[in-house]
Amino acid sequence: MPRSASRKLPAPPGGALFDVEHSIGYLLNRAANIIAARFSDELKAHSVNLQTWRVLAALSYQDQQSLTDLANHTGAELSYLSRSVASAETRGLVARVVSPADKRAFLLTLTPAGKTMVKELTPHGMRIEKSSLTGVPKADVETTLRTLHAIYHNMVDSTDDSAGMNRKLTVARRVRKRRAQEDGSI
């Protein structure tokens, strides 16, 4: 077992107002940033940035998504995401297709080149994820995945529709509401 997995977390230093070593949000962000940095280094060899990879991966997971759905899956703000999508379109990795449900709207889809890129890059991402989980029991990984899903849904569901809401949260709530309507649960 790696040293970090077996090591007891230190107590916060005397007088600390915020304990970063026991904060879920802080630790999630720190771990995500390191994983993203490692994967970004791998992506450079393919002239792909992390945001473009997230677009490709999300479309690989569920093809033909609206920009709003894609923003929800990637965690990106719409303005930043639209630039990434435009870049992926220019490179021939993503295309826009007319929505069968609404001829005025478009959906994003992977092109054959985009699918090839996902096939090339997925093993790199899987290797980094595997490395990040070294020494972590499978049961703990499954618990972590359930916990992360619960945290995400708790944060989306517990916010009211206030005018000052963050745009990422607005998108997540809009997608959740539309899916609930499509499922007939509201």
Side-chain angles (χ1 to χ4, degrees):
M1 181 178 294
R3 200 178 70 222
S4 60
S6 63
R7 183 181 55 187
K8 183 177 165 126
L9 293 175
L17 297 176
F18 186 74
D19 183 358
V20 298
E21 292 298 328
H22 292 87
S23 167
I24 296 290
Y26 186 87
L27 290 170
L28 282 172
N29 187 56
R30 190 168 71 176
N33 284 336
I34 291 298
I35 292 169
R38 290 277 309 276
F39 194 38
S40 289
D41 288 344
E42 299 268 342
L43 294 172
K44 286 177 188 173
H46 299 274
S47 301
V48 173
N49 64 29
L50 191 58
Q51 185 59 39
T52 300
W53 163 251
R54 288 176 177 154
V55 167
L56 298 176
L59 289 173
S60 175
Y61 178 75
Q62 180 185 337
D63 201 24
Q64 296 198 355
Q65 294 185 54
S66 69
L67 195 60
T68 300
D69 287 332
L70 200 55
N72 186 52
H73 279 126
T74 62
E77 289 194 25
L78 285 169
S79 60
Y80 183 64
L81 179 63
S82 63
R83 289 189 295 271
S84 296
V85 166
S87 173
E89 279 184 287
T90 300
R91 291 186 60 189
L93 302 172
V94 173
R96 295 173 193 248
V97 296
V98 175
S99 169
D102 180 355
K103 301 296 182 204
R104 298 167 296 164
F106 68 89
L107 301 173
L108 299 163
T109 187
L110 283 177
T111 64
K115 290 176 184 176
T116 298
M117 183 69 73
V118 171
K119 285 180 185 174
E120 282 180 37
L121 296 175
T122 295
H124 298 284
M126 301 285 283
R127 185 174 33 75
I128 289 169
E129 183 165 314
K130 184 178 179 182
S131 173
S132 75
L133 296 172
T134 300
V136 179
K138 184 177 180 174
D140 289 354
V141 172
E142 291 168 1
T143 298
T144 300
L145 289 171
R146 280 193 312 275
T147 301
L148 291 173
H149 282 284
I151 289 169
Y152 176 83
H153 291 290
N154 288 343
M155 295 287 60
V156 172
D157 294 342
S158 68
T159 305
D160 62 10
D161 291 324
S162 64
M165 189 186 316
N166 180 288
R167 285 182 279 185
K168 289 180 185 179
L169 188 54
T170 301
V171 166
R173 294 196 70 214
R174 186 180 306 143
V175 168
R176 185 202 58 200
K177 185 176 181 180
R178 189 181 73 239
R179 285 194 184 139
Q181 289 171 335
E182 290 169 356
D183 295 342
S185 57
I186 62 167

